[in-house]
């Protein structure tokens, strides 16, 4: 009998334990998210739903802890590393934009290969058990040139971007006909990681066409998007950017403004911050923005309110090449090359103090121990190099294809190149002949900055601020050249339609418009840079001729590691490594180094080419820490 009593007591204790387990499960169902992951097999009958106060995924309560990371800002070789660090932070969802301008660089010509292989990116997220919120645009903002819209749209003088103007919608339809079939099979109900798709981006702050959001929504639905649709807006447009059939989400940084916005969301629906701005971006001539104060308190407050959160950015990456955006709210300012964003994961993929603070917070919220500190990527200091050869721009011109002859200036986008798609990025050189001196007037037709030369000698600059320049008197014919730089198109605001670059109208010498131009597009594509191997380079003299391309070799005898290029003594230009465009540098800062990822370095000799506009330094340094400039708290 004693044995039976012991057994009964044992059964009773097991029963109590089971009741406790059930109670804990019910508590988590009511107050916490269920860690459903893409790699596991489910019925996949019902995707993400938003018809209650909380999200449901296939009938289970679900909470989104997301992070933004853009495949086009990160070398493909590092996608896995960054996603694993995302998971180690406690995130379950990756959000990404889709940059139309990179995927369709020329009208009707598409690129979804290598670093732009979106399908590979989605598959990797699925393999690593991350859900995906896809933000396909067509407009993405993102401090990206023209908000991700291709510049060839601006060849149409009547173009009305982000409206139902047929010239725009025809182009969007053609792009979506290619894009959406590539991603539709990665939707949740098809066994993939995509649980939601965003309709456009922050349209409430633009709001130029009441029919436009409906058009974009239908463009997604009619091509096979079946998952939950969302919109995303900030304080300027939450009331105008929503559309029936899509869940509205909000963007903000400070808690007070965020709580105010949350009150404006519809009751009885899940609340989500699509962009909790974890940092901020930088522009040339400013400071490096950092955001620290109150970030953990804000996230904790949102978690306590049951609000799903997406960190924008989790990992910013880099505006490689000429892809940085700009702002113009009365004054044009271009963004820097780095998109570090003071995000939890740095530009080079390092876990920051902010990362570990958020990780600790999420660990408590999820009631589980998260991964220990992920492996940090080693950074290397390579030997300083001293470029010994160069070639002036004027000599390179002879190697280019036949220039364009035009009586009047032609803006970049309307140049007759690239199969009728014009010039998108880089510089354009406009040459003409003058027979007198006088005052050169831009009439604000220089976009964005022109270095002016007379017979190859620089006499100054024209830009938004400096609109006049005196040309000394002389007899006879002289060559007048304007090297115009596209510093980046505005990515946000009402001026998207006014982003044509180069010379967008007449330039006047005194009161007469200049005529008879020879125009050289200087896009500086990889093929152009690689052609330098066939050119006759010159030893660098004590006083080089500018602008010029300076040539050096970095020897790497070990396994390549990430590094940062420091250009002390150089003024302004672009750096290419093995033909890859790392982006712009400018001594006005804040950014003082350029990120060079290891996958772009090879064992042995590495070709370094620097296009410098005005002043060349003697050396090029490779350091193991970034210098993003003097900091300023947001």
């Amino acid at each position: 009998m004693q044995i039976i009593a012991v057994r009964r007591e044992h059964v009773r204790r097991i029963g109590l334990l089971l009741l406790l387990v059930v109670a804990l499960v019910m508590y988590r169902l009511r107050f916490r998210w269920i860690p459903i992951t893409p790699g596991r097999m489910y019925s996949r009958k019902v995707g993400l739903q938003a018809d209650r106060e909380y999200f449901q995924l296939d009938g289970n309560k679900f909470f989104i802890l997301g992070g933004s990371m853009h495949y086009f800002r990160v070398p493909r070789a590092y996608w896995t590393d960054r996603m694993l660090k995302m998971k180690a932070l406690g995130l379950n969802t990756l959000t990404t934009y889709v940059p139309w301008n990179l995927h369709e660089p020329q009208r009707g010509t598409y690129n979804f290969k290598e670093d732009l292989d979106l399908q590979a990116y989605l598959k990797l997220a699925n393999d690593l058990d991350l859900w995906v919120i896809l933000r396909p645009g067509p407009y993405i903002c993102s401090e990206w040139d023209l908000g991700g819209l291709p510049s060839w749209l601006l060849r149409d003088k009547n173009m009305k971007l982000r409206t139902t103007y047929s010239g725009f919608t025809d182009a969007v339809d053609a792009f979506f006909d290619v894009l959406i079939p590539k991603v539709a099979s990665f939707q949740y109900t098809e066994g993939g990681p995509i649980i939601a798709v965003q309709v456009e981006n922050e349209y409430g702050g633009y709001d130029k066409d009441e029919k436009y959001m409906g058009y974009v929504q239908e463009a997604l639905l009619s091509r096979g998007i079946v998952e939950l649709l969302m919109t995303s807006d900030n304080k300027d447009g939450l009331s105008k950017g929503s559309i029936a059939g899509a869940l509205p989400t909000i963007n903000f940084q400070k808690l007070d403004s965020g709580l105010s916005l949350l009150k404006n969301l519809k009751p009885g629906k899940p609340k989500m911050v699509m962009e909790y701005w974890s940092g901020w971006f930088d522009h040339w001539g400013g400071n490096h923005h950092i955001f620290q104060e109150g970030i953990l308190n804000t996230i904790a407050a949102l978690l306590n309110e049951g609000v799903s959160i997406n960190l924008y950015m989790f990992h910013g990456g880099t505006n490689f090449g000429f892809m940085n955006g700009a702002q113009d709210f009365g004054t044009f300012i271009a963004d820097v090359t780095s998109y570090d964003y003071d995000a939890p994961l740095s530009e080079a993929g390092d876990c920051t103090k902010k990362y570990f603070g958020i990780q600790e917070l999420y660990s408590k919220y999820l009631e589980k121990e998260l991964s220990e500190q992920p492996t940090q990527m080693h950074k290397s200091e390579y030997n300083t190099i001293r470029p010994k050869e160069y070639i002036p721009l004027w000599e390179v011109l002879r190697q280019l294809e036949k220039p364009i002859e035009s009586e009047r200036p032609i803006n970049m986008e309307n140049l007759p190149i690239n199969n009728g798609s014009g010039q998108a990025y880089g510089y354009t050189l406009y040459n003409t002949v003058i027979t007198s001196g006088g005052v050169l007037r831009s009439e604000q037709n220089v976009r964005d900055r022109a270095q002016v030369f007379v017979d190859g000698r620089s006499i100054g600059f024209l830009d938004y601020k400096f609109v006049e320049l005196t040309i000394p008197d002389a007899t006879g014919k002289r060559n007048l050249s304007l090297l115009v730089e596209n510093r980046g198109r505005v990515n946000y605001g009402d001026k998207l339609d006014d982003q044509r670059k180069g010379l967008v109208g007449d330039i006047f010498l005194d009161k007469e418009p200049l005529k008879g131009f020879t125009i050289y597009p200087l896009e500086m594509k990889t093929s152009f840079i690689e052609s330098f191997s066939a050119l006759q380079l010159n030893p660098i003299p004590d006083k080089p001729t500018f602008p010029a391309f300076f040539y050096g070799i970095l020897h790497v005898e070990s396994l390549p590691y990430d590094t940062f290029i420091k250009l002390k003594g150089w003024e302004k230009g672009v750096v290419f490594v093995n033909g890859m465009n790392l982006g712009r540098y400018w001594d006005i800062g804040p950014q003082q180094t350029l990120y060079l990822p290891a996958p772009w370095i090879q064992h042995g000799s590495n070709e370094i080419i620097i296009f410098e506009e005005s002043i060349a330094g003697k050396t090029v340094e490779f350091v193991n820490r970034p210098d993003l400039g003097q900091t300023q708290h947001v």
Side-chain angles (χ1 to χ4, degrees):
M1 293 296 295
Q2 186 176 3
I3 294 174
I4 294 174
V6 170
R7 287 178 175 172
R8 286 176 177 171
E9 177 63 21
H10 184 61
V11 170
R12 188 181 71 84
R13 289 181 178 179
I14 292 175
L16 289 173
L17 182 60
L18 288 173
L19 286 174
L20 180 60
V21 169
V22 170
L24 286 172
V25 169
M26 294 300 294
Y27 173 83
R28 289 181 66 84
L29 282 172
R30 173 65 181 86
F31 297 106
R32 292 292 187 267
W33 63 280
I34 299 297
I36 310 169
T37 56
R40 302 174 187 172
M41 294 302 296
Y42 299 97
S43 61
R44 297 295 180 97
K45 293 179 180 178
V46 182
L48 191 66
Q49 294 176 286
D51 52 3
R52 300 187 182 184
E53 292 183 350
Y54 51 84
F55 288 113
Q56 287 182 293
L57 188 60
D58 230 332
N60 296 298
K61 187 174 179 122
F62 183 70
F63 192 81
I64 297 170
L65 289 179
S68 289
M69 181 175 75
H70 305 145
Y71 57 99
F72 48 93
R73 281 181 160 126
V74 181
R76 179 170 177 168
Y78 283 159
W79 290 352
T80 299
D81 172 77
R82 306 316 194 238
M83 288 189 196
L84 288 174
K85 288 172 179 173
M86 179 177 283
K87 287 176 61 66
L89 185 64
L91 305 186
N92 60 11
T93 304
L94 176 153
T95 69
T96 185
Y97 284 128
V98 177
W100 182 7
N101 54 2
L102 289 187
H103 287 301
E104 193 178 1
Q106 297 179 24
R107 188 160 200 157
T109 301
Y110 302 96
N111 182 7
F112 287 87
K113 298 179 180 179
E114 299 175 347
D115 287 358
L116 295 177
D117 192 338
L118 175 57
Q119 290 178 308
Y121 193 67
L122 296 173
K123 182 179 184 303
L124 180 61
N126 191 65
D127 292 345
L128 294 179
D129 293 343
L130 283 168
W131 300 114
V132 172
I133 297 176
L134 190 69
R135 309 174 79 184
Y139 163 85
I140 64 172
C141 185
S142 191
E143 291 71 61
W144 196 251
D145 187 274
L146 202 60
L149 301 175
S151 62
W152 47 258
L153 290 168
L154 298 174
R155 291 175 65 85
D156 179 351
K157 65 180 180 179
N158 299 315
M159 177 55 65
K160 301 297 180 186
L161 301 173
R162 302 181 75 190
T163 71
T164 52
Y165 170 66
S166 61
F168 183 68
T169 56
D170 287 349
V172 174
D173 287 340
F175 176 58
F176 274 15
D177 282 345
V178 175
L179 171 66
I180 301 306
K182 290 181 179 294
V183 300
S185 62
F186 287 90
Q187 294 181 94
Y188 176 81
T189 48
E190 296 290 329
I194 297 175
I195 57 174
V197 177
Q198 185 172 297
V199 182
E200 235 264 356
N201 189 57
E202 294 184 326
Y203 194 71
Y206 197 70
D207 191 35
K208 289 193 175 184
D209 186 337
E210 62 181 12
K211 298 179 181 180
Y212 176 67
M213 286 293 282
Y215 155 74
V216 178
Q217 183 182 46
E218 179 58 25
L220 296 170
L221 295 173
S222 64
R223 289 169 174 83
I225 295 299
V226 298
E227 304 303 335
L228 178 68
L229 297 181
M230 295 179 167
T231 59
S232 171
D233 283 282
N234 58 31
K235 61 182 177 62
D236 298 323
L238 182 59
S239 62
K240 298 179 180 179
S242 302
I243 184 170
L247 178 73
T249 68
I250 59 175
N251 307 333
F252 71 90
Q253 186 167 66
K254 300 298 176 67
L255 181 59
D256 290 344
S257 61
L259 292 177
S260 177
L261 285 172
L262 286 170
K263 293 178 182 178
N264 294 328
L265 295 176
K266 294 180 180 180
K269 298 287 185 181
K271 292 180 172 59
M272 180 174 179
V273 182
M274 180 63 76
E275 294 184 12
Y276 175 60
W277 299 322
S278 63
W280 204 244
F281 55 91
D282 302 334
H283 60 265
W284 293 113
N287 293 322
H288 173 48
H289 293 98
I290 59 173
F291 177 55
Q292 304 288 340
E293 185 176 354
I295 185 170
L296 296 181
N297 290 337
T298 299
I299 294 175
L302 293 172
L303 294 177
N304 289 335
E305 291 289 328
V307 178
S308 288
I309 306 169
N310 177 64
L311 300 174
Y312 188 98
M313 298 290 296
F314 160 72
H315 173 49
T318 310
N319 298 317
F320 292 116
F322 297 118
M323 299 313 301
N324 63 274
Q327 290 77 52
D328 189 348
F329 298 100
T331 301
F332 176 89
I333 51 175
D335 300 333
V336 303
T337 299
S338 171
Y339 200 61
D340 177 85
Y341 207 85
D342 191 37
L345 205 64
S346 75
E347 177 181 15
D350 294 324
C351 300
T352 64
K353 180 180 178 181
K354 185 181 294 184
Y355 178 100
F356 293 114
I358 296 174
Q359 185 188 55
E360 181 179 2
L361 179 61
Y362 281 177
S363 178
K364 293 178 181 178
Y365 177 74
L366 298 173
E367 297 178 351
K368 68 176 183 178
E369 186 175 348
L370 297 174
S371 303
E372 296 181 0
Q373 178 175 344
T375 302
Q376 300 286 66
M377 307 291 287
H378 178 73
K379 311 295 187 297
S380 183
E381 285 185 330
Y382 295 112
N383 291 332
T384 297
I385 66 172
R386 182 182 292 269
K388 296 181 179 180
E389 295 179 301
Y390 94 128
I391 184 168
L393 173 63
W394 316 112
E395 294 185 23
V396 174
L397 297 180
R398 295 196 291 265
Q399 311 297 324
L400 299 177
E401 295 181 5
K402 185 178 179 180
I404 299 156
E405 305 291 341
S406 176
E407 186 68 5
R408 292 290 178 86
I410 305 174
N411 59 285
M412 277 187 177
E413 296 79 6
N414 284 97
L415 290 172
I417 62 173
N418 291 326
N419 299 315
S421 294
Q423 180 181 352
Y425 313 108
Y427 298 76
T428 307
L429 182 67
Y430 297 83
N431 287 346
T432 189
V433 175
I434 58 174
T435 57
S436 67
V439 178
L440 191 67
R441 292 184 171 88
S442 71
E443 303 293 335
Q444 290 289 2
N445 286 327
V446 168
R447 306 289 174 83
D448 300 298
R449 185 175 189 259
Q451 188 171 8
V452 182
F453 303 85
V454 175
D455 286 340
R457 183 176 65 86
S458 177
I459 63 169
F461 295 86
L462 295 171
D463 56 21
Y464 294 97
K465 182 178 180 181
F466 300 100
V467 297
E468 293 185 355
L469 190 63
T470 300
I471 297 178
D473 287 324
T475 59
K477 295 181 178 181
R478 291 178 294 170
N479 290 318
L480 176 69
S481 304
L482 293 92
L483 179 64
V484 184
E485 178 195 15
N486 167 4
R487 290 177 53 201
R489 295 181 182 85
V490 164
N491 58 267
Y492 183 83
D494 293 332
K495 297 186 178 181
L496 290 180
D497 293 336
D498 187 31
Q499 293 307 303
R500 295 168 182 86
K501 298 296 186 176
L503 295 184
V504 298
D506 286 329
I507 304 296
F508 292 82
L509 183 56
D510 289 334
K511 295 183 180 181
E512 292 298 319
L514 296 174
K515 298 180 181 180
F517 286 91
T518 301
I519 306 172
Y520 296 87
L522 299 169
E523 300 174 285
M524 300 192 187
K525 296 179 179 178
T526 298
S527 57
F528 169 72
I529 297 301
E530 291 176 342
S531 70
F532 276 58
S533 59
L535 299 180
Q536 179 63 49
L537 301 177
N538 311 304
I540 301 176
D542 292 336
K543 294 184 178 179
T545 299
F546 292 99
F549 297 87
F550 292 80
Y551 182 90
I553 295 292
L554 170 66
H555 295 284
V556 175
E557 303 305 329
S558 63
L559 186 70
Y561 294 108
D562 285 0
T563 189
F564 302 89
I565 296 180
K566 189 173 184 65
L567 294 158
K568 187 176 181 180
W570 303 75
E571 185 173 274
K572 185 176 186 299
V574 188
V575 177
F576 304 85
V577 176
N578 297 325
M580 302 293 288
N581 188 338
L582 297 191
R584 314 171 202 259
Y585 66 90
W586 197 354
D587 65 356
I588 67 171
Q591 182 175 355
Q592 300 296 323
T593 55
L594 287 174
Y595 174 50
L596 173 54
W600 295 0
I601 305 172
Q602 59 193 21
H603 178 82
S605 297
N606 293 270
E607 183 180 74
I608 312 295
I609 294 178
I610 302 171
F611 176 69
E612 169 59 50
E613 296 179 18
S614 302
I615 300 174
K618 298 296 183 182
T619 60
V620 179
E621 299 178 47
F622 300 87
V623 297
N624 60 8
R625 291 185 179 181
D627 181 354
L628 297 179
Q630 182 175 336
T631 59
Q632 173 184 334
H633 288 270
V634 177

